[in-house]
Each structure stands twice: as structure tokens, then as C-alpha cells.
Amino acid sequence: PGLNFEVNGFYDRARDLIIPNMFEHQNTGSIDTYGIELSANYQYRRFSSYLAATWQDVGRTEIYDYEVGHALNTPVISANAVLAWQVTKNLKLNTHIDFQGLQHAHYLDILSYSAYSSGMLFLIELEKEYLENPTQELEKLISLVTNSTLENEKSIPVSKNIPARVLFDVGATYKWRNLTFGFNVENL
């Protein structure tokens, strides 16, 4: 019974993240994350509660040699609370409240990345051919492929914001002899 309180700090340095690339996964990318977590729980007779809040930030994120700047789909602030009430000896009611702050979603458009990579490889072959046999047609083709490849490069990194949200769950458990029955409604 009573109040318990805890404060934690953390630093996470991850390298060689596994990231999907078209038909396979590659070990590429890195992320440095740090933050603080506060948690508390309280119990009094038939009532119990738990609260946790986390603030985290990203020092650096890189995917396929692109500096992203934010954590991948990770909110800066998140919190959750669980409240429970033992109504009778056999019946317990509970609720869970989950808050996720604004998320900066960053990802790479794999099709644009693939088109960019293919374009660069094609340009290398065209340049070799042009050095052996310089023609105006090849020069025009090199210019066209260069412009197309540069356009594909611009659309490789994609950013969008996912708004903050709160989710509510409610539930109940009932014990009868050696059986426990549970009922939960999530994401209200």
C-alpha cells in the first residue's frame, strides 16, 4: 500500500538497423536516442493506479546514408495510466489510458530509391559509351537520364506528421471458483 515513484534516464545507440529494401532486408542505418521516464504507482485498499510518462529525443537518425533527424514513428512524449478498482471479492474493473504525442514519420520511398539506383547505374554505362563514341544523341540521353535520376532522388526521403492521440481501454474480470472471466473493450 502507498505511493511508489521512480525516475529513469536512458541512452540508446543502435547501429546496423534492419530495414526493408524492396524484396529483402538490409542492415543499414543508425539511431541515437535519449530520454527520461517517470513512473508512479499507488495502492489504497481496493483501488490501484499506475502512471508512466516518457520524454525522448533523437540525437541522430540515418537510413541508407540519409540523415533523417527524428526517430522513426516514435513520439517525443508518451504516457499511460492504468486504474483498477476491486469492486467485490470476485469483480475487478479497470481502465487503461494511453497517450501518444505527435510523431514525425520518416521513411524512404523504396520505389524512388530503386529508380534512383537504377538510373545511376544506367548513367555510368552511358558515360562509358559516350567516352568511346561521343554523339549528340548520347549527350541528350545522358541529360534526360540525369534529370530523371535527380528527380527520383528528391522523392526518396518522405516525411509526414502523425497527430497526437489518446486511446481508452476498459475491462473487467470476474473470478468464480477456479475460473477467471475477462472482458475488455480496446481503443475507445
Side-chain angles (χ1 to χ4, degrees), residues 67-95:
E67 186 82 23
V68 176
H70 292 284
L72 304 172
N73 305 322
T74 303
V76 174
I77 295 175
S78 60
N80 68 74
V82 177
L83 306 172
W85 178 39
Q86 190 75 44
V87 180
T88 67
K89 177 182 172 188
N90 298 332
L91 177 64
K92 184 176 188 178
L93 303 177
N94 62 70
T95 186

Side-chain angles (χ1 to χ4, degrees), residues 11-179:
Y11 173 74
D12 182 27
R13 181 177 181 221
R15 300 291 179 262
D16 290 330
L17 299 174
I18 298 172
I19 297 175
N21 180 9
M22 288 296 275
F23 305 109
E24 61 184 23
H25 289 73
Q26 292 182 337
N27 286 61
T28 182
S30 61
I31 186 169
D32 293 339
T33 308
Y34 52 90
I36 297 172
E37 181 181 60
L38 307 169
S39 63
N41 63 50
Y42 178 75
Q43 286 188 313
Y44 181 73
R45 295 185 184 174
R46 297 187 300 173
F47 174 77
S48 64
S49 64
Y50 173 80
L51 173 68
T54 303
W55 169 85
Q56 60 185 334
D57 199 10
V58 176
R60 186 174 143 288
T61 303
E62 185 180 290
I63 303 174
Y64 295 114
D65 299 324
Y66 285 92
E67 186 82 23
V68 176
H70 292 284
L72 304 172
N73 305 322
T74 303
V76 174
I77 295 175
S78 60
N80 68 74
V82 177
L83 306 172
W85 178 39
Q86 190 75 44
V87 180
T88 67
K89 177 182 172 188
N90 298 332
L91 177 64
K92 184 176 188 178
L93 303 177
N94 62 70
T95 186
H96 176 243
I97 303 165
D98 184 28
F99 170 77
Q100 299 293 317
L102 174 72
Q103 294 180 22
H104 301 287
H106 296 279
Y107 58 93
L108 300 179
D109 183 324
I110 300 299
L111 294 177
S112 294
Y113 182 77
S114 178
Y116 169 76
S117 299
S118 299
M120 290 302 288
L121 293 173
F122 187 50
L123 272 175
I124 290 169
E125 294 302 316
L126 287 176
E127 291 287 341
K128 286 180 188 176
E129 189 177 332
Y130 184 78
L131 289 173
E132 292 176 9
N133 184 20
T135 65
Q136 283 189 334
E137 290 81 23
L138 271 177
E139 196 173 311
K140 287 179 184 177
L141 184 57
I142 288 171
S143 176
L144 182 68
V145 172
T146 299
N147 291 337
S148 174
T149 301
L150 292 175
E151 281 302 310
N152 283 326
E153 182 183 29
K154 290 178 189 174
S155 56
I156 292 173
V158 177
S159 297
K160 69 177 184 177
N161 289 332
I162 300 170
R165 63 202 175 280
V166 177
L167 299 174
F168 295 93
D169 305 335
V170 293
T173 56
Y174 184 80
K175 290 184 181 181
W176 179 69
R177 297 185 182 178
N178 290 333
L179 297 174

